[in-house]
Amino acid sequence: MPDRPDERPTDPPDRPEQRPHLVSDQDVEDADDLLFAHPPRVVRRWVCGCGADYPCVDVLFARFVKATAEAGE
């Protein structure tokens, strides 16, 4: 065996290098269960005339102003 690291032979080892697994088999099973329990779904939403999600900031402000005016009567 060489005493210094630079004296190591450069020939590749006879067997392929074993890399550690990043996840366990149980992790893969759990991921399968999660993907089964959380399928994608179609979502419909309201869109304001300005193109933003309804109610947009302007609509929220207008509702606030009207509610404040009605409360002051």
Short mmCIF file of all heavy atoms in Angstrom, two decimals:
data_model
loop_
_atom_site.label_atom_id
_atom_site.label_comp_id
_atom_site.label_asym_id
_atom_site.label_seq_id
_atom_site.Cartn_x
_atom_site.Cartn_y
_atom_site.Cartn_z
N MET A 1 0.84 -1.17 0.00
CA MET A 1 0.00 0.00 0.00
C MET A 1 0.89 1.24 0.00
O MET A 1 1.83 1.32 0.76
CB MET A 1 -0.92 -0.04 1.22
CG MET A 1 -1.74 1.17 1.41
SD MET A 1 -3.14 0.77 2.44
CE MET A 1 -4.40 1.57 1.55
N PRO A 2 0.56 2.22 -0.84
CA PRO A 2 1.41 3.41 -0.90
C PRO A 2 1.26 4.26 0.35
O PRO A 2 0.23 4.28 1.01
CB PRO A 2 0.90 4.15 -2.13
CG PRO A 2 -0.45 3.61 -2.40
CD PRO A 2 -0.49 2.23 -1.83
N ASP A 3 2.34 4.95 0.67
CA ASP A 3 2.34 5.81 1.86
C ASP A 3 1.76 7.19 1.57
O ASP A 3 1.23 7.84 2.45
CB ASP A 3 3.76 5.98 2.39
CG ASP A 3 4.31 4.68 2.94
OD1 ASP A 3 3.49 3.87 3.41
OD2 ASP A 3 5.52 4.48 2.89
N ARG A 4 1.86 7.65 0.33
CA ARG A 4 1.38 8.98 -0.01
C ARG A 4 0.21 8.88 -0.99
O ARG A 4 0.16 7.98 -1.82
CB ARG A 4 2.50 9.78 -0.64
CG ARG A 4 3.63 10.01 0.34
CD ARG A 4 4.81 10.73 -0.26
NE ARG A 4 4.46 11.64 -1.33
CZ ARG A 4 5.33 12.19 -2.16
NH1 ARG A 4 6.61 11.92 -2.04
NH2 ARG A 4 4.95 13.01 -3.12
N PRO A 5 -0.76 9.82 -0.93
CA PRO A 5 -1.93 9.74 -1.81
C PRO A 5 -1.57 9.85 -3.29
O PRO A 5 -2.23 9.27 -4.13
CB PRO A 5 -2.80 10.92 -1.39
CG PRO A 5 -2.26 11.42 -0.12
CD PRO A 5 -0.86 10.89 0.03
N ASP A 6 -0.51 10.57 -3.63
CA ASP A 6 -0.15 10.73 -5.04
C ASP A 6 0.53 9.48 -5.61
O ASP A 6 0.80 9.43 -6.80
CB ASP A 6 0.71 11.96 -5.26
CG ASP A 6 1.98 11.95 -4.44
OD1 ASP A 6 2.14 11.08 -3.55
OD2 ASP A 6 2.81 12.83 -4.67
N GLU A 7 0.77 8.47 -4.78
CA GLU A 7 1.37 7.23 -5.26
C GLU A 7 0.33 6.14 -5.51
O GLU A 7 0.69 5.00 -5.77
CB GLU A 7 2.40 6.72 -4.25
CG GLU A 7 3.61 7.63 -4.12
CD GLU A 7 4.57 7.16 -3.05
OE1 GLU A 7 4.29 6.12 -2.42
OE2 GLU A 7 5.59 7.82 -2.84
N ARG A 8 -0.93 6.48 -5.44
CA ARG A 8 -1.98 5.49 -5.66
C ARG A 8 -2.02 5.10 -7.14
O ARG A 8 -1.77 5.94 -8.01
CB ARG A 8 -3.35 6.04 -5.29
CG ARG A 8 -3.52 6.25 -3.82
CD ARG A 8 -4.92 6.69 -3.50
NE ARG A 8 -5.02 6.99 -2.09
CZ ARG A 8 -5.82 7.87 -1.56
NH1 ARG A 8 -6.65 8.55 -2.34
NH2 ARG A 8 -5.84 8.08 -0.28
N PRO A 9 -2.34 3.88 -7.44
CA PRO A 9 -2.45 3.49 -8.84
C PRO A 9 -3.64 4.21 -9.49
O PRO A 9 -4.65 4.49 -8.86
CB PRO A 9 -2.67 1.99 -8.80
CG PRO A 9 -3.07 1.67 -7.42
CD PRO A 9 -2.56 2.78 -6.53
N THR A 10 -3.53 4.50 -10.77
CA THR A 10 -4.58 5.23 -11.48
C THR A 10 -5.55 4.29 -12.18
O THR A 10 -6.49 4.75 -12.82
CB THR A 10 -3.97 6.17 -12.53
OG1 THR A 10 -3.16 5.41 -13.41
CG2 THR A 10 -3.14 7.25 -11.85
N ASP A 11 -5.35 2.99 -12.12
CA ASP A 11 -6.26 2.04 -12.74
C ASP A 11 -7.59 2.05 -12.00
O ASP A 11 -7.63 2.14 -10.77
CB ASP A 11 -5.68 0.62 -12.72
CG ASP A 11 -4.43 0.50 -13.56
OD1 ASP A 11 -4.27 1.33 -14.48
OD2 ASP A 11 -3.61 -0.39 -13.29
N PRO A 12 -8.70 1.95 -12.75
CA PRO A 12 -10.01 1.92 -12.08
C PRO A 12 -10.16 0.62 -11.29
O PRO A 12 -9.56 -0.39 -11.61
CB PRO A 12 -11.01 1.98 -13.22
CG PRO A 12 -10.26 1.51 -14.42
CD PRO A 12 -8.81 1.86 -14.19
N PRO A 13 -10.97 0.63 -10.25
CA PRO A 13 -11.18 -0.60 -9.47
C PRO A 13 -11.90 -1.64 -10.30
O PRO A 13 -12.55 -1.34 -11.30
CB PRO A 13 -12.04 -0.14 -8.29
CG PRO A 13 -12.63 1.15 -8.71
CD PRO A 13 -11.72 1.75 -9.74
N ASP A 14 -11.79 -2.88 -9.87
CA ASP A 14 -12.41 -4.00 -10.59
C ASP A 14 -13.93 -3.95 -10.52
O ASP A 14 -14.62 -4.41 -11.41
CB ASP A 14 -11.90 -5.33 -10.03
CG ASP A 14 -10.42 -5.53 -10.33
OD1 ASP A 14 -9.93 -4.89 -11.28
OD2 ASP A 14 -9.77 -6.30 -9.60
N ARG A 15 -14.47 -3.44 -9.47
CA ARG A 15 -15.93 -3.39 -9.32
C ARG A 15 -16.40 -1.94 -9.42
O ARG A 15 -15.66 -1.02 -9.07
CB ARG A 15 -16.36 -4.00 -7.99
CG ARG A 15 -15.74 -3.35 -6.79
CD ARG A 15 -16.07 -4.16 -5.52
NE ARG A 15 -15.13 -3.81 -4.47
CZ ARG A 15 -15.33 -2.83 -3.61
NH1 ARG A 15 -16.42 -2.12 -3.68
NH2 ARG A 15 -14.45 -2.56 -2.69
N PRO A 16 -17.62 -1.73 -9.90
CA PRO A 16 -18.12 -0.36 -10.00
C PRO A 16 -18.34 0.24 -8.63
O PRO A 16 -18.64 -0.46 -7.66
CB PRO A 16 -19.44 -0.50 -10.76
CG PRO A 16 -19.83 -1.92 -10.58
CD PRO A 16 -18.55 -2.70 -10.41
N GLU A 17 -18.16 1.53 -8.56
CA GLU A 17 -18.33 2.23 -7.28
C GLU A 17 -19.80 2.25 -6.89
O GLU A 17 -20.67 2.57 -7.68
CB GLU A 17 -17.83 3.67 -7.44
CG GLU A 17 -17.90 4.47 -6.18
CD GLU A 17 -17.37 5.87 -6.38
OE1 GLU A 17 -16.50 6.04 -7.24
OE2 GLU A 17 -17.86 6.78 -5.70
N GLN A 18 -20.09 1.87 -5.65
CA GLN A 18 -21.45 1.87 -5.13
C GLN A 18 -21.75 3.26 -4.58
O GLN A 18 -21.09 3.74 -3.70
CB GLN A 18 -21.61 0.84 -4.01
CG GLN A 18 -21.62 -0.57 -4.48
CD GLN A 18 -22.97 -0.93 -5.10
OE1 GLN A 18 -23.83 -0.08 -5.26
NE2 GLN A 18 -23.13 -2.17 -5.46
N ARG A 19 -22.76 3.91 -5.15
CA ARG A 19 -23.17 5.21 -4.64
C ARG A 19 -24.32 5.00 -3.66
O ARG A 19 -25.20 4.18 -3.89
CB ARG A 19 -23.62 6.10 -5.78
CG ARG A 19 -22.49 6.47 -6.69
CD ARG A 19 -22.94 7.47 -7.70
NE ARG A 19 -21.82 7.82 -8.55
CZ ARG A 19 -21.87 8.73 -9.47
NH1 ARG A 19 -22.98 9.38 -9.70
NH2 ARG A 19 -20.81 9.01 -10.19
N PRO A 20 -24.34 5.79 -2.60
CA PRO A 20 -25.45 5.66 -1.64
C PRO A 20 -26.75 6.16 -2.27
O PRO A 20 -26.75 7.09 -3.08
CB PRO A 20 -25.02 6.53 -0.47
CG PRO A 20 -24.05 7.49 -1.05
CD PRO A 20 -23.37 6.79 -2.20
N HIS A 21 -27.85 5.54 -1.91
CA HIS A 21 -29.16 5.96 -2.40
C HIS A 21 -29.55 7.26 -1.69
O HIS A 21 -29.33 7.42 -0.50
CB HIS A 21 -30.21 4.89 -2.13
CG HIS A 21 -29.99 3.64 -2.90
ND1 HIS A 21 -30.17 3.55 -4.27
CD2 HIS A 21 -29.57 2.41 -2.52
CE1 HIS A 21 -29.90 2.34 -4.68
NE2 HIS A 21 -29.52 1.61 -3.63
N LEU A 22 -30.14 8.16 -2.44
CA LEU A 22 -30.56 9.44 -1.85
C LEU A 22 -31.84 9.28 -1.04
O LEU A 22 -32.08 10.01 -0.09
CB LEU A 22 -30.77 10.48 -2.94
CG LEU A 22 -29.52 10.88 -3.72
CD1 LEU A 22 -29.88 11.88 -4.82
CD2 LEU A 22 -28.49 11.48 -2.79
N VAL A 23 -32.69 8.33 -1.44
CA VAL A 23 -33.93 8.08 -0.73
C VAL A 23 -34.07 6.59 -0.48
O VAL A 23 -33.54 5.76 -1.22
CB VAL A 23 -35.16 8.60 -1.51
CG1 VAL A 23 -35.11 10.11 -1.64
CG2 VAL A 23 -35.25 7.98 -2.86
N SER A 24 -34.82 6.27 0.54
CA SER A 24 -35.05 4.86 0.85
C SER A 24 -36.25 4.34 0.09
O SER A 24 -37.02 5.10 -0.49
CB SER A 24 -35.28 4.70 2.36
OG SER A 24 -36.52 5.28 2.72
N ASP A 25 -36.42 3.03 0.11
CA ASP A 25 -37.59 2.42 -0.53
C ASP A 25 -38.88 2.91 0.13
O ASP A 25 -39.89 3.11 -0.53
CB ASP A 25 -37.51 0.90 -0.46
CG ASP A 25 -36.38 0.35 -1.33
OD1 ASP A 25 -35.95 1.06 -2.27
OD2 ASP A 25 -35.93 -0.78 -1.06
N GLN A 26 -38.83 3.11 1.45
CA GLN A 26 -40.00 3.61 2.17
C GLN A 26 -40.35 5.03 1.72
O GLN A 26 -41.53 5.37 1.58
CB GLN A 26 -39.76 3.58 3.68
CG GLN A 26 -40.97 3.99 4.50
CD GLN A 26 -42.15 3.05 4.30
OE1 GLN A 26 -41.99 1.84 4.38
NE2 GLN A 26 -43.31 3.60 4.02
N ASP A 27 -39.33 5.84 1.47
CA ASP A 27 -39.58 7.20 0.97
C ASP A 27 -40.31 7.16 -0.38
O ASP A 27 -41.22 7.96 -0.63
CB ASP A 27 -38.28 7.98 0.82
CG ASP A 27 -37.63 8.32 2.14
OD1 ASP A 27 -38.36 8.39 3.15
OD2 ASP A 27 -36.40 8.50 2.17
N VAL A 28 -39.91 6.25 -1.24
CA VAL A 28 -40.55 6.13 -2.55
C VAL A 28 -42.00 5.68 -2.39
O VAL A 28 -42.90 6.20 -3.05
CB VAL A 28 -39.76 5.16 -3.45
CG1 VAL A 28 -40.49 4.90 -4.75
CG2 VAL A 28 -38.37 5.71 -3.73
N GLU A 29 -42.25 4.74 -1.50
CA GLU A 29 -43.63 4.29 -1.25
C GLU A 29 -44.48 5.44 -0.71
O GLU A 29 -45.63 5.62 -1.12
CB GLU A 29 -43.64 3.13 -0.26
CG GLU A 29 -43.18 1.82 -0.84
CD GLU A 29 -43.25 0.69 0.18
OE1 GLU A 29 -44.13 0.74 1.07
OE2 GLU A 29 -42.41 -0.22 0.08
N ASP A 30 -43.92 6.21 0.22
CA ASP A 30 -44.64 7.36 0.77
C ASP A 30 -44.95 8.39 -0.30
O ASP A 30 -46.03 8.98 -0.33
CB ASP A 30 -43.84 8.00 1.91
CG ASP A 30 -43.73 7.11 3.13
OD1 ASP A 30 -44.50 6.12 3.22
OD2 ASP A 30 -42.87 7.39 3.99
N ALA A 31 -44.00 8.62 -1.20
CA ALA A 31 -44.22 9.57 -2.29
C ALA A 31 -45.34 9.09 -3.21
O ALA A 31 -46.17 9.88 -3.65
CB ALA A 31 -42.93 9.78 -3.07
N ASP A 32 -45.37 7.79 -3.49
CA ASP A 32 -46.45 7.24 -4.31
C ASP A 32 -47.81 7.46 -3.64
O ASP A 32 -48.78 7.84 -4.30
CB ASP A 32 -46.23 5.75 -4.57
CG ASP A 32 -45.13 5.48 -5.56
OD1 ASP A 32 -44.80 6.38 -6.36
OD2 ASP A 32 -44.59 4.35 -5.55
N ASP A 33 -47.87 7.22 -2.33
CA ASP A 33 -49.12 7.43 -1.59
C ASP A 33 -49.56 8.90 -1.65
O ASP A 33 -50.74 9.20 -1.84
CB ASP A 33 -48.96 7.00 -0.14
CG ASP A 33 -48.80 5.49 0.00
OD1 ASP A 33 -49.13 4.76 -0.96
OD2 ASP A 33 -48.33 5.04 1.06
N LEU A 34 -48.61 9.82 -1.49
CA LEU A 34 -48.94 11.24 -1.53
C LEU A 34 -49.44 11.65 -2.91
O LEU A 34 -50.42 12.41 -3.03
CB LEU A 34 -47.72 12.08 -1.18
CG LEU A 34 -47.44 12.23 0.30
CD1 LEU A 34 -46.08 12.86 0.53
CD2 LEU A 34 -48.52 13.07 0.95
N LEU A 35 -48.79 11.18 -3.95
CA LEU A 35 -49.22 11.53 -5.30
C LEU A 35 -50.60 10.97 -5.60
O LEU A 35 -51.39 11.60 -6.31
CB LEU A 35 -48.20 11.04 -6.32
CG LEU A 35 -46.86 11.76 -6.28
CD1 LEU A 35 -45.87 11.08 -7.22
CD2 LEU A 35 -47.02 13.22 -6.64
N PHE A 36 -50.91 9.80 -5.05
CA PHE A 36 -52.24 9.22 -5.24
C PHE A 36 -53.30 10.03 -4.50
O PHE A 36 -54.40 10.25 -4.99
CB PHE A 36 -52.25 7.76 -4.76
CG PHE A 36 -53.58 7.10 -4.92
CD1 PHE A 36 -54.00 6.63 -6.15
CD2 PHE A 36 -54.43 6.96 -3.83
CE1 PHE A 36 -55.24 6.04 -6.30
CE2 PHE A 36 -55.67 6.35 -3.97
CZ PHE A 36 -56.08 5.89 -5.21
N ALA A 37 -52.95 10.50 -3.30
CA ALA A 37 -53.92 11.23 -2.47
C ALA A 37 -54.09 12.69 -2.90
O ALA A 37 -55.04 13.34 -2.49
CB ALA A 37 -53.47 11.19 -1.01
N HIS A 38 -53.19 13.20 -3.73
CA HIS A 38 -53.26 14.60 -4.14
C HIS A 38 -53.26 14.72 -5.66
O HIS A 38 -52.33 15.29 -6.26
CB HIS A 38 -52.05 15.37 -3.57
CG HIS A 38 -52.04 15.45 -2.09
ND1 HIS A 38 -52.55 16.54 -1.42
CD2 HIS A 38 -51.60 14.59 -1.15
CE1 HIS A 38 -52.41 16.33 -0.12
NE2 HIS A 38 -51.84 15.16 0.07
N PRO A 39 -54.32 14.24 -6.32
CA PRO A 39 -54.36 14.35 -7.78
C PRO A 39 -54.65 15.80 -8.20
O PRO A 39 -55.22 16.57 -7.43
CB PRO A 39 -55.53 13.43 -8.17
CG PRO A 39 -56.43 13.49 -6.99
CD PRO A 39 -55.52 13.59 -5.79
N PRO A 40 -54.25 16.16 -9.40
CA PRO A 40 -54.59 17.51 -9.87
C PRO A 40 -56.08 17.63 -10.11
O PRO A 40 -56.77 16.64 -10.36
CB PRO A 40 -53.81 17.62 -11.19
CG PRO A 40 -53.58 16.23 -11.62
CD PRO A 40 -53.51 15.39 -10.38
N ARG A 41 -56.60 18.84 -10.01
CA ARG A 41 -58.02 19.06 -10.25
C ARG A 41 -58.21 20.39 -10.97
O ARG A 41 -57.37 21.28 -10.89
CB ARG A 41 -58.81 19.05 -8.95
CG ARG A 41 -58.39 20.07 -7.95
CD ARG A 41 -59.08 19.85 -6.60
NE ARG A 41 -58.52 20.70 -5.59
CZ ARG A 41 -59.09 21.80 -5.16
NH1 ARG A 41 -60.26 22.19 -5.66
NH2 ARG A 41 -58.53 22.54 -4.24
N VAL A 42 -59.32 20.50 -11.64
CA VAL A 42 -59.66 21.73 -12.34
C VAL A 42 -60.23 22.71 -11.33
O VAL A 42 -61.08 22.36 -10.52
CB VAL A 42 -60.69 21.45 -13.46
CG1 VAL A 42 -61.12 22.75 -14.12
CG2 VAL A 42 -60.10 20.49 -14.48
N VAL A 43 -59.75 23.94 -11.38
CA VAL A 43 -60.22 24.98 -10.47
C VAL A 43 -60.77 26.12 -11.31
O VAL A 43 -60.13 26.59 -12.23
CB VAL A 43 -59.08 25.50 -9.57
CG1 VAL A 43 -59.55 26.63 -8.69
CG2 VAL A 43 -58.51 24.37 -8.74
N ARG A 44 -61.96 26.53 -10.98
CA ARG A 44 -62.56 27.69 -11.65
C ARG A 44 -62.54 28.84 -10.67
O ARG A 44 -62.78 28.67 -9.48
CB ARG A 44 -63.99 27.38 -12.08
CG ARG A 44 -64.02 26.29 -13.11
CD ARG A 44 -65.41 26.13 -13.67
NE ARG A 44 -65.37 25.08 -14.67
CZ ARG A 44 -66.15 24.02 -14.66
NH1 ARG A 44 -67.05 23.87 -13.73
NH2 ARG A 44 -66.05 23.12 -15.61
N ARG A 45 -62.24 30.01 -11.19
CA ARG A 45 -62.19 31.18 -10.31
C ARG A 45 -62.84 32.37 -11.02
O ARG A 45 -62.94 32.41 -12.23
CB ARG A 45 -60.77 31.51 -9.91
CG ARG A 45 -59.89 31.95 -11.05
CD ARG A 45 -58.52 32.35 -10.55
NE ARG A 45 -57.87 33.21 -11.50
CZ ARG A 45 -56.84 32.86 -12.24
NH1 ARG A 45 -56.33 31.66 -12.10
NH2 ARG A 45 -56.31 33.69 -13.10
N TRP A 46 -63.24 33.33 -10.22
CA TRP A 46 -63.84 34.54 -10.75
C TRP A 46 -62.72 35.50 -11.13
O TRP A 46 -61.74 35.64 -10.41
CB TRP A 46 -64.72 35.18 -9.70
CG TRP A 46 -65.99 34.45 -9.44
CD1 TRP A 46 -66.14 33.11 -9.23
CD2 TRP A 46 -67.28 35.00 -9.38
NE1 TRP A 46 -67.44 32.81 -9.03
CE2 TRP A 46 -68.18 33.96 -9.11
CE3 TRP A 46 -67.78 36.27 -9.51
CZ2 TRP A 46 -69.53 34.16 -8.99
CZ3 TRP A 46 -69.13 36.48 -9.37
CH2 TRP A 46 -69.99 35.42 -9.13
N VAL A 47 -62.91 36.17 -12.27
CA VAL A 47 -61.94 37.16 -12.72
C VAL A 47 -62.67 38.50 -12.86
O VAL A 47 -63.76 38.57 -13.42
CB VAL A 47 -61.31 36.73 -14.08
CG1 VAL A 47 -60.34 37.78 -14.58
CG2 VAL A 47 -60.62 35.40 -13.94
N CYS A 48 -62.05 39.54 -12.36
CA CYS A 48 -62.61 40.89 -12.41
C CYS A 48 -62.51 41.43 -13.84
O CYS A 48 -61.76 40.92 -14.67
CB CYS A 48 -61.83 41.79 -11.45
SG CYS A 48 -62.56 43.42 -11.23
N GLY A 49 -63.27 42.47 -14.13
CA GLY A 49 -63.22 43.10 -15.44
C GLY A 49 -61.85 43.64 -15.80
O GLY A 49 -61.50 43.76 -16.97
N CYS A 50 -61.03 43.96 -14.78
CA CYS A 50 -59.68 44.47 -15.04
C CYS A 50 -58.69 43.34 -15.33
O CYS A 50 -57.56 43.60 -15.72
CB CYS A 50 -59.19 45.31 -13.87
SG CYS A 50 -58.92 44.37 -12.34
N GLY A 51 -59.11 42.09 -15.15
CA GLY A 51 -58.25 40.94 -15.44
C GLY A 51 -57.65 40.29 -14.22
O GLY A 51 -57.11 39.19 -14.30
N ALA A 52 -57.72 40.94 -13.07
CA ALA A 52 -57.19 40.36 -11.83
C ALA A 52 -58.22 39.42 -11.21
O ALA A 52 -59.39 39.41 -11.60
CB ALA A 52 -56.84 41.48 -10.85
N ASP A 53 -57.76 38.63 -10.25
CA ASP A 53 -58.70 37.77 -9.53
C ASP A 53 -59.73 38.65 -8.83
O ASP A 53 -59.42 39.71 -8.30
CB ASP A 53 -57.97 36.91 -8.50
CG ASP A 53 -57.17 35.79 -9.13
OD1 ASP A 53 -57.43 35.47 -10.30
OD2 ASP A 53 -56.29 35.23 -8.45
N TYR A 54 -61.00 38.17 -8.84
CA TYR A 54 -62.08 38.93 -8.21
C TYR A 54 -62.20 38.52 -6.76
O TYR A 54 -62.15 37.34 -6.46
CB TYR A 54 -63.40 38.66 -8.94
CG TYR A 54 -64.53 39.53 -8.46
CD1 TYR A 54 -64.68 40.81 -8.95
CD2 TYR A 54 -65.42 39.07 -7.50
CE1 TYR A 54 -65.71 41.62 -8.50
CE2 TYR A 54 -66.44 39.87 -7.05
CZ TYR A 54 -66.58 41.15 -7.56
OH TYR A 54 -67.59 41.95 -7.10
N PRO A 55 -62.32 39.40 -5.85
CA PRO A 55 -62.36 40.84 -5.98
C PRO A 55 -60.94 41.42 -6.01
O PRO A 55 -60.09 41.06 -5.20
CB PRO A 55 -63.10 41.29 -4.73
CG PRO A 55 -62.81 40.24 -3.71
CD PRO A 55 -62.66 38.96 -4.49
N CYS A 56 -60.72 42.35 -6.95
CA CYS A 56 -59.41 43.00 -7.05
C CYS A 56 -59.29 44.06 -5.95
O CYS A 56 -60.23 44.31 -5.19
CB CYS A 56 -59.23 43.62 -8.44
SG CYS A 56 -60.31 45.04 -8.75
N VAL A 57 -58.14 44.69 -5.87
CA VAL A 57 -57.90 45.68 -4.82
C VAL A 57 -58.87 46.84 -4.94
O VAL A 57 -59.37 47.36 -3.92
CB VAL A 57 -56.43 46.17 -4.91
CG1 VAL A 57 -56.17 47.28 -3.91
CG2 VAL A 57 -55.47 45.03 -4.68
N ASP A 58 -59.17 47.25 -6.16
CA ASP A 58 -60.11 48.37 -6.34
C ASP A 58 -61.50 48.02 -5.82
O ASP A 58 -62.17 48.84 -5.18
CB ASP A 58 -60.19 48.78 -7.81
CG ASP A 58 -58.89 49.41 -8.31
OD1 ASP A 58 -58.11 49.92 -7.46
OD2 ASP A 58 -58.66 49.38 -9.53
N VAL A 59 -61.96 46.82 -6.09
CA VAL A 59 -63.28 46.39 -5.61
C VAL A 59 -63.27 46.30 -4.09
O VAL A 59 -64.24 46.72 -3.42
CB VAL A 59 -63.69 45.05 -6.26
CG1 VAL A 59 -64.93 44.48 -5.60
CG2 VAL A 59 -63.90 45.22 -7.75
N LEU A 60 -62.21 45.78 -3.52
CA LEU A 60 -62.13 45.70 -2.05
C LEU A 60 -62.17 47.10 -1.43
O LEU A 60 -62.85 47.32 -0.42
CB LEU A 60 -60.85 44.97 -1.63
CG LEU A 60 -60.79 43.48 -1.96
CD1 LEU A 60 -59.41 42.92 -1.64
CD2 LEU A 60 -61.86 42.72 -1.20
N PHE A 61 -61.46 48.04 -2.03
CA PHE A 61 -61.47 49.41 -1.51
C PHE A 61 -62.86 50.03 -1.64
O PHE A 61 -63.35 50.68 -0.71
CB PHE A 61 -60.43 50.26 -2.24
CG PHE A 61 -60.37 51.67 -1.74
CD1 PHE A 61 -59.84 51.96 -0.50
CD2 PHE A 61 -60.87 52.71 -2.51
CE1 PHE A 61 -59.80 53.26 -0.03
CE2 PHE A 61 -60.83 54.02 -2.05
CZ PHE A 61 -60.30 54.29 -0.81
N ALA A 62 -63.51 49.82 -2.78
CA ALA A 62 -64.86 50.36 -2.99
C ALA A 62 -65.84 49.78 -1.98
O ALA A 62 -66.68 50.50 -1.42
CB ALA A 62 -65.32 50.09 -4.42
N ARG A 63 -65.73 48.49 -1.71
CA ARG A 63 -66.61 47.87 -0.70
C ARG A 63 -66.34 48.45 0.68
O ARG A 63 -67.27 48.68 1.46
CB ARG A 63 -66.38 46.35 -0.67
CG ARG A 63 -66.96 45.62 -1.84
CD ARG A 63 -66.68 44.15 -1.70
NE ARG A 63 -67.25 43.36 -2.78
CZ ARG A 63 -67.00 42.08 -2.95
NH1 ARG A 63 -66.23 41.43 -2.12
NH2 ARG A 63 -67.56 41.44 -3.96
N PHE A 64 -65.07 48.70 0.98
CA PHE A 64 -64.71 49.28 2.27
C PHE A 64 -65.30 50.67 2.42
O PHE A 64 -65.88 51.01 3.46
CB PHE A 64 -63.18 49.32 2.39
CG PHE A 64 -62.68 50.07 3.58
CD1 PHE A 64 -62.79 49.53 4.86
CD2 PHE A 64 -62.08 51.31 3.44
CE1 PHE A 64 -62.33 50.21 5.96
CE2 PHE A 64 -61.62 51.99 4.54
CZ PHE A 64 -61.74 51.46 5.80
N VAL A 65 -65.19 51.50 1.38
CA VAL A 65 -65.73 52.85 1.42
C VAL A 65 -67.25 52.81 1.61
O VAL A 65 -67.81 53.53 2.44
CB VAL A 65 -65.37 53.64 0.13
CG1 VAL A 65 -66.13 54.94 0.04
CG2 VAL A 65 -63.86 53.87 0.09
N LYS A 66 -67.94 51.95 0.85
CA LYS A 66 -69.40 51.86 0.98
C LYS A 66 -69.82 51.37 2.35
O LYS A 66 -70.77 51.88 2.94
CB LYS A 66 -69.96 50.95 -0.12
CG LYS A 66 -69.89 51.63 -1.51
CD LYS A 66 -70.57 50.83 -2.55
CE LYS A 66 -72.01 50.65 -2.30
NZ LYS A 66 -72.97 51.54 -2.89
N ALA A 67 -69.12 50.36 2.89
CA ALA A 67 -69.46 49.84 4.21
C ALA A 67 -69.22 50.89 5.27
O ALA A 67 -70.01 51.03 6.23
CB ALA A 67 -68.63 48.59 4.50
N THR A 68 -68.16 51.68 5.13
CA THR A 68 -67.88 52.73 6.09
C THR A 68 -68.95 53.83 6.02
O THR A 68 -69.42 54.33 7.06
CB THR A 68 -66.49 53.34 5.82
OG1 THR A 68 -65.51 52.31 5.86
CG2 THR A 68 -66.13 54.39 6.85
N ALA A 69 -69.38 54.17 4.82
CA ALA A 69 -70.41 55.20 4.65
C ALA A 69 -71.73 54.73 5.23
O ALA A 69 -72.44 55.50 5.88
CB ALA A 69 -70.56 55.55 3.16
N GLU A 70 -72.07 53.48 5.01
CA GLU A 70 -73.34 52.96 5.54
C GLU A 70 -73.30 52.86 7.06
O GLU A 70 -74.32 53.03 7.72
CB GLU A 70 -73.63 51.58 4.92
CG GLU A 70 -73.99 51.64 3.45
CD GLU A 70 -74.11 50.26 2.82
OE1 GLU A 70 -73.91 49.25 3.54
OE2 GLU A 70 -74.37 50.20 1.61
N ALA A 71 -72.14 52.55 7.60
CA ALA A 71 -72.02 52.44 9.07
C ALA A 71 -72.13 53.81 9.72
O ALA A 71 -72.57 53.92 10.87
CB ALA A 71 -70.69 51.79 9.44
N GLY A 72 -71.76 54.87 8.99
CA GLY A 72 -71.81 56.22 9.55
C GLY A 72 -73.18 56.87 9.48
O GLY A 72 -73.41 57.91 10.06
N GLU A 73 -74.12 56.25 8.81
CA GLU A 73 -75.46 56.84 8.68
C GLU A 73 -76.26 56.71 9.93
O GLU A 73 -76.27 55.89 10.71
CB GLU A 73 -76.22 56.19 7.52
CG GLU A 73 -75.63 56.54 6.19
CD GLU A 73 -76.37 55.86 5.03
OE1 GLU A 73 -77.29 55.05 5.29
OE2 GLU A 73 -76.01 56.12 3.89
#
